[in-house]
Amino acid sequence: MSDRTPWTREEFEQVLRDKEELYHIRHPLHVKMHSGEMNKEQIQGWVANRFY
């Protein structure tokens, strides 16, 4: 049996925050889309591809 002590509150928070970069909202395409850097045709292309 391994001796694993629970994380502190700060360690737990950091483990969760480290996973944030894996979320789709951090993908460069989503960042551009939500910051207004994509034009109408680019958005329409994304929609067509997404729901194809």
Side-chain angles (χ1 to χ4, degrees), residues 3-44:
D3 179 43
R4 294 176 27 176
T5 57
W7 292 325
T8 65
R9 183 181 188 100
E10 292 77 18
E11 290 170 326
F12 179 70
E13 179 181 348
Q14 189 59 52
V15 168
L16 290 178
R17 291 190 183 278
D18 289 345
K19 294 185 182 294
E20 179 180 2
E21 291 301 314
L22 302 174
Y23 283 87
H24 73 278
I25 60 171
R26 301 293 180 220
H27 189 280
L29 178 89
H30 283 264
V31 171
K32 285 183 177 186
M33 184 169 32
H34 293 285
S35 67
E37 295 180 40
M38 294 176 70
N39 63 36
K40 181 179 177 180
E41 291 77 21
Q42 290 171 317
I43 297 289
Q44 288 174 330

